[in-house]
Amino acid sequence: MAQGDLKRKLFLEAKGEIAELADTINNMIDTLATFVEQVTTVAREVGTEGKLGGQSHVPGAAGTWRDLNSNVNQLAATLTTQLRAISDVATAVTKGDLTRSITVEAQGEVAQLKDTINEMIRNLRDTTLKNSEQDWLKTNHANFARMLQGQRDLTAVARMILSELASVVGAQQGVFYLVQHGATSGTTDGDMKIKLLAGYAHRERKDRSAEIRPGEDLIGQAVLEKRRILLADVPANYITISSGLVEAPPANIIILPVLFENQVKAVIELASFQRFNSAHQTFLEQLTESIGIVLNTIEANSRTEELLKQSQSLTNELQSRQLELQKTNLELAEKAETQAQLLREQAARAEAEAANKAKDRFIAMLSHELRAPLSPILFVSSALKQDPIVPDRIREELNIIARNVELEARLIDDLLDATRISQGKLSLTFETEDAHELLRSALEICSNEISAKSLTVQLELEAIGHRIRADAARLRQVFWNLIRNSVKFTPRDGQIQLRSSNPQSGWFRLEVIDNGIGIASNVLPRIFDAFEQGGDASAGGLGLGLTISKGIVELHEGRIFASSAGANQGATFVIELPNVVPTSAAPSPRLGSETAA
């Protein structure tokens, strides 16, 4: 037995005390064998097989053997209780229950393990809570974005926001104030007005003004400071939330200014029986930024629509003016034809001259009246085109308006020039000018029209005799009129020639030649008459360009004439001007031809 063999028994023939001693030794061997078997079974089940809950049962054990058996059972029971407690909590956490924690008594490494698992559960619970809050924030932000998308009515938006916020953050009452700023961007806080726009379960107070100024009440203070105000532990007599059954004070009131680019656009006030938690407050702070963008978009769209209405009104007025001008032009053309017929009769010359003067006075007066509304139209069109919020389609319409206004201004200028020339009131300032430079300048003005029709321009300029006494602006106007006239009546991919020469001493000659539609023989004699379109009614303009050019050339004591072989044979316009300024330098050789497209 001392060597660990508990299967042996003591067998001997004895009586009396020797027999009792033998029985005692054999009973002790049986008890010890049973104890060893039970302890070995418990150790194997717990340590090797991982079975918990096992106990050692040694019948008849007493004294130290009983205590030792109890200690083994206590060890197994304590280990079973601890491991099962840890297992139960781990299983609950695996199923998503993060409210559990290990509360079993433990010591040493088991206690450290318990604390580590509990800390892990707390960290997991905190992380899960944060993720849940983020998901909640993102989901509700997305819902509000979808809800507010495309809204155009401020009152409807305010009511929608309050109704949705009541369910999201658990508010039982709310109001929405709109902040109206002054007409100019540099206005002070005193120019702002805070007006109630919408309410949720709100009952207006009779003692409260319809408007609030910055700094008045908490609403005005939130606007002034541009920051959130949160009221906790609201007094019972401060405000009450009432329904058909109950009336009670709120636990929390929050006041939120809505900002866009550091400018307060609105103020939202919410009251709740419950306290607004950190997630609610974070959501409300972030939501006010989105609401600010929506309010600014609605305001910008409203301003754009108003500007569009003004633009359309101006366009209609301009079209009306154009129709009036066209009607007047037709009437003037008819009058001009009548006057031309009267001039052919010597007996009616005096009456014709009087009619011409009346016509000129009427044109001058009409031109001034027509020019008056053009400046504000151009100003409004330019201002709208520079506004970044104006849509592209509106910007295109504004470009069309500006081009029409510029065309009308050019027509009015032609009317004024023709009137001044006929009345002898066009004064010129003569200085020594380079005719070639004026010609190139006029050609540059027409470069866009030339490029648009892919025309070829050929220059053949004489090297001498091109410095003359002339009015630079008016002579350039003549050159521009002739070049533009050739561009207008020359088909795409055609050619224009500009040729200068000295036909006689002291004279400058310019020929403008094109291969366009030409001038019909019956039109050529009156090509320089007022309102003559060269036989093409669709050419546009008033037909005053050549008339004005003739008048300016004659004021320079020069002459202008035209020639054409007929329809589709091109045309040639010739200007001859005197007063060439002589140069002391020897004549230079003739310049070679230059070609430009």
Side-chain angles (χ1 to χ4, degrees):
M1 185 181 65
Q3 294 177 356
D5 186 359
L6 301 179
K7 295 180 180 180
R8 299 282 298 275
K9 291 291 186 70
L10 182 62
F11 296 103
L12 54 86
E13 293 182 3
K15 294 181 179 179
E17 292 182 3
I18 299 299
E20 291 177 1
L21 178 60
D23 291 338
T24 299
I25 292 173
N26 286 333
N27 288 335
M28 182 185 68
I29 293 172
D30 290 338
T31 299
L32 184 58
T34 302
F35 177 76
V36 170
E37 180 184 1
Q38 289 294 315
V39 170
T40 301
T41 299
V42 171
R44 183 182 71 253
E45 289 178 350
V46 174
T48 303
E49 298 176 359
K51 296 179 180 179
L52 300 177
Q55 292 285 291
S56 170
H57 301 283
V58 182
T64 301
W65 295 112
R66 185 180 62 231
D67 294 341
L68 183 59
N69 184 68
S70 297
N71 289 338
V72 170
N73 287 337
Q74 180 65 32
L75 172 64
T78 299
L79 186 59
T80 297
T81 300
Q82 292 174 342
L83 290 179
R84 283 181 175 173
I86 294 173
S87 176
D88 289 343
V89 172
T91 301
V93 171
T94 302
K95 294 179 179 180
D97 184 2
L98 300 179
T99 62
R100 300 281 299 276
S101 63
I102 302 172
T103 59
V104 68
E105 292 291 335
Q107 301 291 330
E109 294 185 6
V110 176
Q112 294 178 1
L113 176 61
K114 180 189 76 171
D115 294 340
T116 299
I117 294 176
N118 286 339
E119 179 66 22
M120 179 189 70
I121 295 173
R122 282 193 295 273
N123 292 338
L124 184 59
R125 182 168 57 244
D126 292 342
T127 302
T128 302
L129 180 60
K130 290 180 181 178
N131 290 338
S132 177
E133 288 181 355
Q134 290 299 318
D135 292 340
W136 182 82
L137 288 172
K138 292 178 181 178
T139 300
N140 284 288
H141 273 300
N143 291 338
F144 267 88
R146 286 193 297 269
M147 180 183 70
L148 298 177
Q149 187 175 12
Q151 297 295 327
R152 304 176 69 88
D153 184 80
L154 285 175
T155 303
V157 167
R159 291 173 178 169
M160 198 179 301
I161 290 173
L162 291 177
S163 177
E164 192 69 16
L165 281 178
S167 63
V168 173
V169 301
Q172 283 74 44
Q173 196 175 75
V175 287
F176 192 107
Y177 290 90
L178 185 66
V179 179
Q180 297 177 338
H181 297 266
T184 59
S185 60
T187 55
T188 62
D189 293 335
D191 296 320
M192 287 192 294
K193 297 179 181 179
I194 308 170
K195 292 186 176 181
L196 179 65
L197 185 62
Y200 178 85
H202 170 65
R203 180 174 54 195
E204 292 190 19
R205 290 161 44 187
K206 296 181 179 179
D207 59 343
R208 190 179 187 91
S209 174
E211 293 184 2
I212 303 175
R213 296 287 181 179
E216 292 180 357
D217 297 345
L218 291 177
I219 295 293
Q221 193 63 29
V223 172
L224 191 63
E225 297 182 359
K226 301 179 181 179
R227 67 179 182 86
R228 179 191 67 187
I229 297 177
L230 178 64
L231 301 179
D233 301 324
V234 180
N237 60 349
Y238 185 77
I239 189 176
T240 58
I241 301 174
S242 57
S243 68
L245 299 175
V246 68
E247 183 173 291
N252 260 185
I253 295 176
I254 190 168
I255 302 173
L256 301 158
V258 178
L259 278 72
F260 178 80
E261 293 183 351
N262 203 37
Q263 186 182 65
V264 181
K265 295 290 186 181
V267 181
I268 300 174
E269 182 178 12
L270 300 173
S272 174
F273 288 134
Q274 301 176 345
R275 296 188 181 276
F276 296 112
N277 58 36
S278 59
H280 290 159
Q281 296 181 38
T282 301
F283 170 72
L284 291 172
E285 286 280 0
Q286 295 175 357
L287 182 63
T288 54
E289 297 179 6
S290 301
I291 296 175
I293 295 174
V294 171
L295 295 182
N296 184 74
T297 301
I298 294 175
E299 181 181 345
N301 288 339
S302 298
R303 187 167 62 251
T304 300
E305 290 177 358
E306 182 63 27
L307 291 174
L308 179 58
K309 290 179 181 178
Q310 294 179 8
S311 174
Q312 290 174 342
S313 176
L314 291 173
T315 301
N316 293 336
E317 182 179 353
L318 177 60
Q319 290 175 346
S320 176
R321 295 269 185 169
Q322 287 178 330
L323 291 175
E324 292 177 4
L325 181 59
Q326 291 174 358
K327 181 180 179 180
T328 302
N329 290 341
L330 292 175
E331 293 174 354
L332 291 174
E334 293 175 358
K335 289 181 179 180
E337 181 64 25
T338 302
Q339 294 297 331
Q341 293 175 359
L342 292 175
L343 287 174
R344 296 187 185 98
E345 301 176 9
Q346 295 295 328
R349 182 179 298 275
E351 183 180 354
E353 290 178 353
N356 277 336
K357 290 181 180 180
K359 177 197 68 175
D360 293 337
R361 286 195 300 271
F362 173 77
I363 292 175
M365 179 181 65
L366 178 62
S367 299
H368 285 292
E369 289 295 322
L370 292 176
R371 177 177 285 277
L374 299 184
S375 296
I377 294 175
L378 284 174
F379 174 80
V380 172
S381 298
S382 177
L384 289 174
K385 286 191 291 184
Q386 296 175 3
D387 193 335
I389 67 172
V390 175
D392 291 340
R393 64 182 183 84
I394 303 302
R395 205 181 302 276
E396 293 175 359
E397 293 181 5
L398 292 174
N399 287 331
I400 295 173
I401 292 174
R403 286 196 296 270
N404 288 338
V405 171
E406 291 171 356
L407 175 60
E408 184 158 339
R410 187 180 301 165
L411 297 178
I412 293 171
D413 287 339
D414 286 348
L415 283 172
L416 288 173
D417 283 346
T419 302
R420 293 191 188 103
I421 291 173
S422 64
Q423 293 178 351
K425 294 181 179 180
L426 186 66
S427 60
L428 304 181
T429 301
F430 287 86
E431 293 180 356
T432 301
E433 303 292 345
D434 189 323
H436 287 172
E437 289 300 323
L438 298 179
L439 179 64
R440 293 180 189 275
S441 176
L443 185 62
E444 179 65 24
I445 296 174
C446 298
S447 60
N448 289 338
E449 297 171 83
I450 293 173
S451 298
K453 297 183 70 172
S454 300
L455 302 180
T456 299
V457 179
Q458 184 175 4
L459 298 177
E460 296 181 12
L461 306 181
E462 181 68 43
I464 60 174
H466 53 84
R467 295 188 62 80
I468 61 175
R469 296 284 296 172
D471 185 305
R474 291 301 182 178
L475 187 56
R476 184 188 296 108
Q477 181 181 358
V478 173
F479 291 168
W480 174 79
N481 276 334
L482 295 183
I483 295 172
R484 186 170 177 270
N485 189 71
S486 294
V487 172
K488 184 192 302 184
F489 295 104
T490 300
R492 186 176 183 82
D493 299 322
Q495 177 178 293
I496 297 173
Q497 289 179 286
L498 303 178
R499 182 186 304 162
S500 71
S501 61
N502 302 110
Q504 55 183 311
S505 177
W507 284 78
F508 170 82
R509 176 189 176 100
L510 174 67
E511 298 173 80
V512 180
I513 308 168
D514 64 69
N515 61 351
I517 64 173
I519 305 173
S521 58
N522 62 326
V523 177
L524 190 59
R526 61 177 188 273
I527 193 63
F528 291 99
D529 291 348
F531 310 108
E532 177 59 52
Q533 297 287 348
D536 186 0
S538 63
L542 297 177
L544 292 175
L546 294 179
T547 303
I548 295 171
S549 298
K550 184 175 184 294
I552 293 174
V553 170
E554 290 176 349
L555 288 175
H556 281 77
E557 299 180 353
R559 50 183 176 264
I560 182 171
F561 52 90
S563 62
S564 175
N568 299 318
Q569 298 298 316
T572 300
F573 286 85
V574 179
I575 300 174
E576 292 183 348
L577 299 171
N579 301 320
V580 171
V581 178
T583 58
S584 57
S588 302
R590 182 183 180 87
L591 292 178
S593 65
E594 302 174 28
T595 302

